[in-house]
Amino acid sequence: MALGCRFGPTLAISLVLFCAAGLTGGHEEHDPNYWNHQAHELLFEKKDYTMQKINIAKNIMVFVGAGMSPATVTAARTFAGAENETFAFEKMKWSGNARTYCVDSRVPDSACAGTAFLTGVKSNLGTVAMHPTVKRGDCVATSDKVKQLESIAKWALDAGKVVGFATTSRVTAGSSAALYGHSADARWENDAEKTKTGKHEGINSNVCQLYLFQGELAALDTSKIDHLLGLFDYDQLPYAADVGNGQNPDTPPLVRMVHYSLEMLQKKEHSNGFLLFVEDGNILRAHQENKPNKAFQQVAHYSMAFDMGHMMVSETNSLVVSLNDVGSTLSLPGYPARDTDALVSAGTSDQDSKPYLSVSYATGPGFDSYYKLPEGRLDPVTVLQNAATPAKERTCSASVPMTAGVNGGEDAMVYASGPWAFMLSGAYEQNFVAHAITFASCITDVCGGASSVVLSAATVLLAIVVKLFA
C-alpha cells in the first residue's frame, strides 16, 4: 500500500480505493468505496468532453416520479392529449438512463433506489441510507453511525445551503426517507411498526434540520416565517384525479407545494443557494393498485409541478433533474389506433380469438376481473363495457394475481438541465446521480474538477476560435 504514495495523488487514491474494495471477501459491491470510485471515474471521464462548463450549480432541484417508467411516460402522453405530447421534464437539454438494481436484488424498491441516487452508494433491498453490508431487518446496524450513509441533503446543509422537500407520500416513506433517515428496514416508519416486529430501532433522523413542505399552503405568507412544516394527511395525499370539483378541498396540488417551497428557499438571506427534493409517490401507488388512468393523470400532475419549479429558477446557476426511482410492470402491447383511450382493444389473440387491451400489468389486482374458471380469459372489452366503476378507477388485466403489484427493474430515465447537466447523459449506475449533483454544485470535495474549470465567456469564445482556425 505504501507504494501508492510514491505516485501522483490521483493514482494513489485509485490504489487505496482499489485495495479497500478488495477487503470485502470477493463481493466488492458491499463496499461503499466501490460505488464511489466507480462514479468518480465516470465523473472525470465526462468532465473533459464538452464546452458546457460555465457555472457551478448554486441551486439544486431533484424531482422524482416514483414508478414513472418509460412505458408509463409513453402511455401518459396519449392520456394527456396525444402520442406526440411532450411533458415539461422531457424538454430538458440532457437525458440518460440509470441502472436501478440493488446490491442484493435485480429489481429495486424505493428505499434502495432512493439510497442510491441520494447518497451515491447502492445498498440492499428495503434499507434506507445504510451501508451495503447491512441486510434488511438488521436492527443493531441501524444505530451504528459507521453504517449510516450521508445524503446530498446533509452535504448541502454542511455547505451552507438551505434544504427542503415536498412529497405526496408519507415523509417517512419512499425515496424521501433516504434524505434524512437511516433504517435497516424501510417499514420501520414509526413505533407501532417497530413494535410489530419486536424491533427497537426505526428511522434514525433529525428532521428539524430540514424544511419540509407538504399540505395546504393557500393562505401562507412566506415572508413572515423562517421554517415551515406542513403535514396534512396521516398517509399518502390523494391522487390528482381525486382532487378538485369539491373532492379533498384541503389537499394542495403538488405544483402549489413546489411554488411555496421555492418561495421559502429563494429568500435573499439564503445567499448560498438551496436544495429542493420533490417526490410524487402516487404514480407508483396507482400502478400497484392497477389503476393506469390514475397513474397517467398523476404523471401530468407531476409534470406541472416540475414545470413550475423549472420556471422559478435560472438554468444559469441551477441544476434541475427529473428521474424515476423504480419501474413498474406496465406494458403497452399490440397496435391500438392513434389518439384512443388507454384502455381500448389493441388487437385480437390468434389463440383464443378474443381481443386484448393496449395496457396491461404483469402483476397486481385485476386478474379476477379478466380471468374466470372454467372459461379462462374473458373478453376484456366486454368487461370494461360492463364495468360500473368510473373510468379513473378501472383496472386492466394482470397476468399474476396479487394484492398489490410489484416494481419493475427497467432502467430509470433521467432528464437534466443547468450547470454540468451533461454529466447525466448516457448510461450509468443509479448511484452516479448523487455524484454528478455534488460535482456540479461543489457541496463536497469531489467538485475539485468543476471549480477549477469554470470558464468565462471570453475563454469559451477563444477556445471556439482556436478550434475553428487551428
Side-chain angles (χ1 to χ4, degrees):
M1 181 72 79
L3 275 177
C5 299
R6 298 182 183 179
F7 297 95
T10 302
L11 180 56
I13 292 172
S14 298
L15 287 174
V16 170
L17 291 176
F18 176 78
C19 293
L23 299 176
T24 61
H27 203 328
E28 57 190 2
E29 292 185 0
H30 286 149
D31 188 345
N33 285 326
Y34 167 79
W35 299 108
N36 291 330
H37 182 52
Q38 180 190 69
H40 292 176
E41 282 188 330
L42 184 56
L43 276 176
F44 288 98
E45 176 185 324
K46 283 177 173 285
K47 79 180 180 67
D48 289 325
Y49 63 69
T50 180
M51 296 295 291
Q52 304 290 324
K53 305 174 184 176
I54 308 301
N55 285 323
I56 293 171
K58 176 182 177 181
N59 307 313
I60 310 155
M61 288 200 304
V62 180
F63 282 73
V64 176
M68 195 173 69
S69 61
T72 302
V73 175
T74 300
R77 293 192 199 109
T78 302
F79 187 88
E83 282 79 6
N84 58 0
E85 184 80 16
T86 302
F87 290 116
F89 54 86
E90 294 183 282
K91 298 176 183 178
M92 298 296 96
K93 293 183 177 67
W94 302 93
S95 64
N97 54 290
R99 294 179 282 271
T100 62
Y101 63 89
C102 307
V103 169
D104 64 345
S105 176
R106 184 182 303 165
V107 178
D109 66 344
S110 290
C112 77
T115 297
F117 63 75
L118 291 173
T119 74
V121 175
K122 289 206 176 193
S123 64
N124 290 316
L125 188 73
T127 61
V128 178
M130 298 299 296
H131 193 284
T133 58
V134 176
K135 294 291 186 180
R136 185 171 197 163
D138 185 347
C139 180
V140 176
T142 295
S143 295
D144 186 348
K145 298 293 184 182
V146 176
K147 298 292 181 68
Q148 296 175 0
L149 301 173
E150 293 182 347
S151 76
I152 58 174
K154 173 65 163 57
W155 300 327
L157 288 168
D158 289 347
K161 298 184 186 297
V162 289
V163 175
F165 74 87
T167 177
T168 63
S169 298
R170 299 182 301 277
V171 294
T172 52
S175 299
S176 300
L179 272 177
Y180 64 88
H182 307 278
S183 178
D185 197 317
R187 295 168 296 193
W188 296 345
E189 296 182 53
N190 53 61
D191 290 341
E193 291 301 321
K194 289 183 288 178
T195 302
K196 284 180 187 177
T197 58
K199 307 299 182 183
H200 303 288
E201 298 294 340
I203 294 260
N204 235 343
S205 66
N206 182 357
V207 178
C208 295
Q209 291 184 353
L210 304 176
Y211 306 134
L212 311 183
F213 304 89
Q214 180 179 9
E216 177 55 61
L217 304 173
L220 184 67
D221 184 352
T222 56
S223 67
K224 296 180 180 179
I225 55 177
D226 296 322
H227 300 78
L228 176 64
L229 169 61
L231 300 172
F232 290 85
D233 206 300
Y234 291 100
D235 208 330
Q236 295 99 335
L237 294 185
Y239 290 111
D242 296 331
V243 176
N245 297 322
Q247 291 182 291
N248 298 292
D250 295 328
T251 300
L254 188 60
V255 63
R256 184 177 296 163
M257 287 194 261
V258 170
H259 174 82
Y260 284 107
S261 298
L262 287 171
E263 277 198 1
M264 290 289 296
L265 296 171
Q266 293 191 108
K267 291 182 176 183
K268 62 181 180 181
E269 58 264 34
H270 299 154
S271 56
N272 289 330
F274 65 83
L275 164 67
L276 174 62
F277 179 84
V278 180
E279 179 193 37
D280 192 330
N282 279 342
I283 303 169
L284 179 61
R285 184 159 67 104
H287 281 320
Q288 292 171 338
E289 294 177 358
N290 192 337
K291 294 181 178 178
N293 284 338
K294 279 193 169 180
F296 304 152
Q297 186 165 343
Q298 202 69 39
V299 172
H301 183 72
Y302 169 87
S303 181
M304 286 191 295
F306 179 86
D307 197 32
M308 170 62 74
H310 188 225
M311 289 190 299
M312 289 183 68
V313 299
S314 168
E315 282 192 12
T316 303
N317 65 355
S318 301
L319 176 63
V320 184
V321 181
S322 170
L323 69 156
N324 60 291
D325 54 355
V326 299
S328 74
T329 64
L330 179 77
S331 66
L332 311 176
Y335 310 97
R338 288 283 301 272
D339 302 331
T340 54
D341 185 76
L343 293 177
V344 297
S345 173
T348 302
S349 168
D350 62 0
Q351 294 293 305
D352 62 13
S353 300
K354 296 175 183 176
Y356 57 89
L357 299 179
S358 61
V359 172
S360 66
Y361 287 99
T363 64
F367 180 92
D368 292 340
S369 298
Y370 292 91
Y371 297 88
K372 298 292 183 184
L373 293 176
E375 56 265 47
R377 195 171 75 92
L378 303 181
D379 181 334
V381 176
T382 302
V383 171
L384 288 174
Q385 289 173 344
N386 295 334
T389 56
K392 65 180 181 180
E393 301 290 350
R394 291 175 185 169
T395 63
C396 57
S397 59
S399 300
V400 179
M402 297 183 71
T403 303
V406 299
N407 295 342
E410 66 269 42
D411 289 359
M413 288 300 301
V414 183
Y415 307 88
S417 280
W420 297 91
F422 75 89
M423 289 274 194
L424 291 169
S425 64
Y428 38 81
E429 301 292 349
Q430 195 172 34
N431 65 295
F432 177 73
V433 174
H435 293 270
I437 290 170
T438 59
F439 183 92
S441 59
C442 266
I443 56 176
T444 66
D445 56 6
V446 76
C447 79
S451 60
S452 65
V453 293
V454 174
L455 304 180
S456 67
T459 305
V460 173
L461 181 60
L462 178 61
I464 294 173
V465 171
V466 171
K467 184 76 173 178
L468 289 175
F469 297 101

